[in-house]
Amino acid sequence: MSENNTQIYIKNDITISPKTLKNKWDKYLDDYKNYTQSYIKHYKKSLDGKSKSLLKYPYKKAQSEWIYQKLLNAQQKNFLTSKQLEKMYKIQIKIANPCLS
């Protein structure tokens, strides 16, 4: 059966195509990347004493961690493709590098 014909059935007879799920996780990955980049930017600025960044970076970090948990759950349930997993790992490396220096 081709991927286009495969349907995922959820409660109450609602069906979701694999393409829709892939797009959903791609959106989460994009959001994760954006929040992470913003978090890193504000984290670095807060180290320089920028007051706005001191207020913003904890929020961006919390948002990034919330999305990461969603992605981690999806990974555990095998909802993510190998390409999506690779993208998630690259984002995690970007988080680790500025925090180590």
Side-chain angles (χ1 to χ4, degrees), residues 61-79:
K61 181 181 182 205
Q63 286 294 80
S64 177
E65 289 174 350
W66 181 82
I67 294 172
Y68 172 73
Q69 284 301 317
K70 287 277 198 190
L71 291 168
L72 190 60
N73 289 338
Q75 176 190 4
Q76 292 169 348
K77 294 176 182 177
N78 295 323
F79 289 159

Side-chain angles (χ1 to χ4, degrees), residues 39-95:
Y39 159 64
I40 292 169
K41 178 181 86 172
H42 288 292
Y43 172 76
K44 288 179 178 179
K45 286 183 177 183
S46 72
L47 293 176
D48 293 335
K50 307 282 186 193
S51 60
K52 283 187 181 180
S53 291
L54 280 169
L55 296 172
K56 286 185 178 182
Y57 99 84
Y59 170 76
K60 299 294 184 178
K61 181 181 182 205
Q63 286 294 80
S64 177
E65 289 174 350
W66 181 82
I67 294 172
Y68 172 73
Q69 284 301 317
K70 287 277 198 190
L71 291 168
L72 190 60
N73 289 338
Q75 176 190 4
Q76 292 169 348
K77 294 176 182 177
N78 295 323
F79 289 159
L80 302 178
T81 65
S82 59
K83 189 174 180 179
Q84 290 170 328
L85 288 172
E86 185 179 324
K87 187 174 181 179
M88 188 171 89
Y89 297 144
K90 286 181 181 180
I91 296 168
Q92 290 172 327
I93 290 170
K94 288 180 183 180
I95 294 171

